[in-house]
Amino acid sequence: MFEKIKEFASEFFVTGDPLIYGADVGIALTLISIVVVLTYFKRWGWLWREWLTSVDHKKIGIMYIIASLLMLFRGGVDALLMRTQLAMPDMQFLEPEHYNQIFTTHGVIMILFMAMPLMFGLFNIVIPLQIGARDVAYPFLNSLSFWLFFWGAMLFNMSFVIGGSPNAGWLAYPPLSELSHSPGVGQDFYIWGIQISGIGSLMTGINFIVTILKMRAPGMKLMKMPMFTWSTLSSCITIIFAFPILTVTLALLFLDRYLGAHFFTLDGGGNPMMYINLIWMWGHPEVYIVVLPAFGIFSEIVSTFSRKKLFGYKSMVFALMSISFFSFFTWAHHFFTMGSGANVNAFFAITTMIIAIPTGVKVFNWLFTMFRGRISYKSPMLWTMGFIPCFVVGGMTGVLLSVAPADFQFHNSYFLIAHFHQVLIGGVAFGYFAGLYYWWPKMFGFKLNEKLGKWAFWLWNIGFYVCFMPQYFLGLDGMTRRVSSYGWDMGWGPLNLVSTIGGFLMGIGFLFQVWQIAHSIKFMERDTTGDPWNGRTLEWSIPSPAPVYNFATLPQATEQDAWWEEKQRREQGQKPAAQPPLEPIHMPRNSGIPFIKSFCWFVAGFGFVFDWLWIAIPGLAGVAICMLIRSFTYNTDYYIPVDEIKRTEAALRGSV
Amino acid sequence: METTFLGRKRKRLEAAHADIGGHSAGGSHDEHHDHESLKTFGFWIFLITDCILFGTLFATYIVLRGNTNGGPTAEELFQMPGVIASTFILLTSSFTSGLAVLSMNRGNVKGLIGWLAVTALLGASFITLEITEFVHMVQAENATIGTSAFLSAFYTLVGTHGLHVSLGLVWMVALMIQLARHGITAVTKRKVNVISLYWHFLDVVWIFVFTIVYMMGVM
């Protein structure tokens, strides 16, 4: 009996690597300390009532951001482990098998469990405030989206200590990801972790489209919307067209592995290249999904910190929308080498070049917004200024890659690695950092320390170039991606060492950011104005952090930069328009169902991963029961009485 | 009616804004109405995503339908009489779900529940026929999901449609219970409208399944 348990455990838990034992201890200690702290301070009820069951978009946003920063930490550690292994020729730091797992989880985590939730966090915090709404269109669904993401991410991360991590690359190309080549459970963790959180992303897409189209403040025409709202809309439209493809693709891979179907197998008439086409039909739009909101953030910041209206508003809208359209017609540029012939490659090469045009338009719009502006170099603006040159170079190398004949040389080399890190770090990460610094005071009521922020910015920015510029040259020298070691005779040693140093500089930059947050929580002064940056859009017209109902009376927004214009009028001595009398506010009730239902999905996913139907079926039954309970619940909302609104407003505005 | 909804979207949008603007002034009736129309709109967008989902499955099927791997082909497998029967059953159920909505608009709860029950019964017989077809294929013809890429794509596409119909059945039964309890309110009305949208949508998808999978399969 004991032998059997021992044998089971040695397969069930990941064993044999000292790094993983260290991580096991770390995870166990963290979990124990969380439980101890919550119990000691009697915070379980608080956690459940105020956070886990909350349908308030501001709290959901904060939870998204916390989760994504933790994932950034894990993805970053993965990156540094890889860079350490590559620092010198013939390094013996990571086993090849372990290296495969790490580059797989690094990619998945950074895109799906770091960039996506950080983006959704900012959507949640900013969009309703920016369009003058009291919540998103479907607050319950919003909470469900978050918890699906959360439990999906947990399932994926669990593979680190239980069962074994996926190791077939971040997009899990078959036949490598098929049962024949990856018999372990790692790929199943991959499928279910992404599937569960992907459903959440899809629902968030629907939620924000409806929120933006139908819940804007009176007077806010589409062409008066703030640019971040526009970018969110274009990103969400891309989500609803792209994510169903991911859902289907992963489901088909699952059927291959679980039921022995032949979609992507080498035998039985399957077609592995079809998977690669399908996954990139989602995957290419996906990179635009994450970068479009970053463009929106930069637009807000450039305008605010230059004290000028955004240059070329209409062309910006047009650029956002055409990017989201063209993003669906470039997917084959990820595999020009498939052999689909000159005509097909020419088509995708040209669409790829076309998509660079609207992106270029935006860059000029930002530059012209800054032109003759009174620029103040606060943290958000620094990241924006760091982004522009970085993204221009990244975009240019993208155009180089789009030249199909040349791509036969660049394909899967470090040139490509350098290119996409340049657009994803320079564009997405810098963008979301900028957004985080910009809206931080709106979330928490205090700014982040500027001095530490400058250190973090320069470490990241310099570290970035030190890390990735050498990789272009390594790529041209013939170093291919996903190699876990290389010999002395290749001559790649020096550039790799430089690159590793750059990676660690960025890592130190991240530590500075953590320090900055901790330091600022302790020492920064409260912002009592609600408008610390002299902002232009509606979110800055209310106190920070915003009260649960956001706006005591719904604002009027008849012009672009409504709050800025209002401030201008007040400065000229005009009295603010008389506020209509307060009325009871209609609010959604908190609900535990999203948390429980997503947990049931997690259980079901876990069961399918190990092929244990006795776990999977109860999990699915739990999901069904949660859905039915919700369907039969009619008491889902309540009213905040006028007295309470008056008290809250007095407390918030009294300190102004 | 929902069909005019898209055409008059612009107008509705403005109306919805006015509603939100006058949230408080409008009182709770308007507010409910507003929330419910918001949910219907969201369901339209969900249907777009479901369209893409089926579109991807159709594309997969079209790519793989010739890859029979030496196993049975579409021509050998499909038995059209049963498929045509189930097609008419599903089309009829779409019609009866329309009758249910008409009863609802007349304020007739009994008629509404009755027609929903007829719709659900027709849906259930459709599913029964589909399961019978699948069982026959697997047992008599030895054509399983693992036999060939063609059959993998076939079972997945048709099965996904069947799964949608089955979920719709559970949903419909839950809705009938709610209608019996609450009668026709703004909330239940929206729910009936949404499920009838869903049902018509599945009907449209089935017409494509019938044409692309079955008709073109035996042609």
Side-chain angles (χ1 to χ4, degrees), chain A residues 138 214 262 268-269 631 634 639, chain B residues 31 38 67 146 149 152 178 191:
Chain A
Y138 315 116
K214 295 211 129 193
H262 290 291
S631 178
Y634 275 66
Y639 281 86
Chain B
E31 205 159 80
L38 210 61
N67 301 6
S152 305
Q178 292 175 30
K191 289 189 176 190

Side-chain angles (χ1 to χ4, degrees), chain A residues 134 136-138 202 205-206 209-210 212-222 239-242 244-245 247-249 252 255-256 259-264 267-271 274 278 554 581 583-584 586 628 630-634 636-637 639, chain B residues 5 10 12-14 16-17 20-21 23-25 28 31-32 35 37-43 45-46 48-50 52-53 56-57 59-60 63-64 67 69 145-150 152-153 156 170-171 174-175 177-178 181-182 185 187-188 191:
Chain A
R134 290 200 167 121
V136 294
Y138 315 116
L202 188 60
I206 297 176
I209 289 179
V210 179
I212 293 172
L213 288 182
K214 295 211 129 193
M215 295 185 65
R216 300 191 306 279
M220 189 185 275
K221 295 259 163 61
L222 281 174
I239 287 177
I240 64 161
F241 285 102
I245 308 178
T247 307
V248 171
T249 312
L252 300 186
L255 290 177
D256 271 6
L259 294 180
H262 290 291
F263 288 103
F264 314 121
D267 57 344
N271 186 348
M274 192 171 66
L278 286 173
L554 286 174
E583 298 273 351
H586 189 203
L628 284 172
R630 176 65 185 177
S631 178
F632 280 87
T633 309
Y634 275 66
T636 55
D637 39 19
Y639 281 86
Chain B
F5 184 82
R10 181 82 234 148
R12 284 279 191 112
L13 277 178
E14 278 157 17
H17 283 165
I20 293 173
H23 233 185
S24 24
S28 88
E31 205 159 80
H32 246 193
H35 271 264
S37 87
L38 210 61
K39 287 183 177 164
T40 314
F41 182 59
F43 196 77
I45 298 183
F46 164 75
I48 297 178
T49 66
D50 227 20
I52 310 274
L53 183 126
T56 314
L57 288 172
T60 310
V63 169
L64 295 179
N67 301 6
N69 190 31
I145 195 169
T147 304
S148 67
F150 152 65
S152 305
T156 307
V170 177
W171 184 7
L175 199 48
I177 299 170
Q178 292 175 30
R181 274 193 200 168
H182 300 275
T185 66
V187 177
T188 53
K191 289 189 176 190

Side-chain angles (χ1 to χ4, degrees), chain B residues 117-140:
Chain B
V118 174
T119 310
L121 278 178
L122 288 169
S125 23
F126 171 85
I127 290 296
T128 314
L129 278 176
E130 186 161 287
I131 292 174
T132 319
E133 186 201 6
F134 281 12
V135 168
H136 171 80
M137 282 187 184
V138 171
Q139 287 183 345

Side-chain angles (χ1 to χ4, degrees), chain B residues 71-83:
Chain B
T73 64
E75 231 172 344
E76 291 160 18
L77 274 179
F78 297 157
Q79 295 185 332
M80 290 310 278
V83 177

Side-chain angles (χ1 to χ4, degrees), chain A residues 65-86:
Chain A
I65 288 172
I66 293 172
S68 67
L69 292 179
L70 289 174
M71 288 291 104
L72 175 62
F73 174 72
R74 185 192 162 182
V77 170
D78 282 349
L80 294 182
L81 290 175
M82 280 190 282
R83 278 318 320 167
T84 308
Q85 166 65 20
L86 291 176

